[in-house]
Amino acid sequence: MPSPVGHALAGLTVHVLAARNPTDLHDRRRAAVAVAAALAPDVDLLFFLVDGRNHHDYETHSIGFAFCAALVAFGAARACRWARPLNLGVTAGLAWLSHLLLDYLNVDTTPPIGIMALWPVGAGFYKFPWPLFLDIGRTLNWATVRHDGLAAAWEAAVLTPLLLGVWRLRQGGGN
């Protein structure tokens, strides 16, 4: 699984792409929703604390949960009377899907290998055969911390130029 750094950068990129106007582009609440949605699928790591079993990469890493995230964001934005609640719901769903894409493109060494991307339609696990991102360790020792730092730096090196390029295009600086 990629680090929170990579997922946050992907969420910000989705926010920039989904912004309909400069006001949306600079709206910190909308950006926060996109980043939160991009990070949220890893909440399943907390379920381990409840029953001691691995739940990571199961249902929360699926199109079904991305759809649920979109509905929840739409409903919350509408209840709070935010402008363009449908746009925010779609943004949240796409940011959730960005998490799935990054996890699909990473090294995975913890069984089950891959993500349950098509739940609830299917329960199979899917993994890209040529990973782009490194795995993130789940132990706290010097070797793991060093590896995780390198993995996060690689994610930033790949995703930051994408974010900045999209930002520049949205700002009209692509001329």
Side-chain angles (χ1 to χ4, degrees):
M1 75 179 167
S3 73
V5 170
H7 289 306
L9 287 169
L12 281 174
T13 303
V14 169
H15 161 70
V16 171
L17 285 169
R20 295 192 54 194
N21 56 47
T23 302
D24 286 354
L25 192 59
H26 296 282
D27 188 332
R28 290 182 180 160
R29 291 182 307 180
R30 295 177 92 80
V33 168
V35 169
L39 293 169
D42 280 341
V43 72
D44 61 6
L45 290 168
L46 298 177
F47 299 155
F48 180 81
L49 300 175
V50 174
D51 64 8
R53 293 184 10 218
N54 177 28
H55 295 275
H56 190 60
D57 294 334
Y58 283 80
E59 290 88 355
T60 61
H61 287 70
S62 70
I63 57 171
F65 261 78
F67 182 74
C68 291
L71 288 177
V72 167
F74 167 75
R78 190 164 181 193
C80 293
R81 300 180 190 263
W82 285 13
R84 293 171 300 289
L86 181 59
N87 176 266
L88 187 65
V90 170
T91 300
L94 291 173
W96 195 287
L97 289 172
S98 77
H99 185 108
L100 276 59
L101 177 63
L102 266 58
D103 278 11
Y104 177 71
L105 294 173
N106 82 312
V107 172
D108 190 354
T109 58
T110 306
I113 303 299
I115 59 173
M116 192 185 281
L118 299 181
W119 182 87
V121 177
F125 287 82
Y126 299 91
K127 187 82 205 100
F128 190 66
W130 305 287
L132 175 62
F133 300 109
L134 302 173
D135 59 327
I136 295 295
R138 298 178 193 163
T139 59
L140 291 177
N141 60 49
W142 173 244
T144 303
V145 170
R146 191 181 82 205
H147 172 82
D148 290 355
L150 290 172
W154 172 248
E155 293 162 11
V158 171
L159 296 171
T160 300
L162 177 64
L163 173 59
L164 294 175
V166 168
W167 180 270
R168 184 170 180 194
L169 287 173
R170 297 294 291 171
Q171 292 283 26
N175 299 333

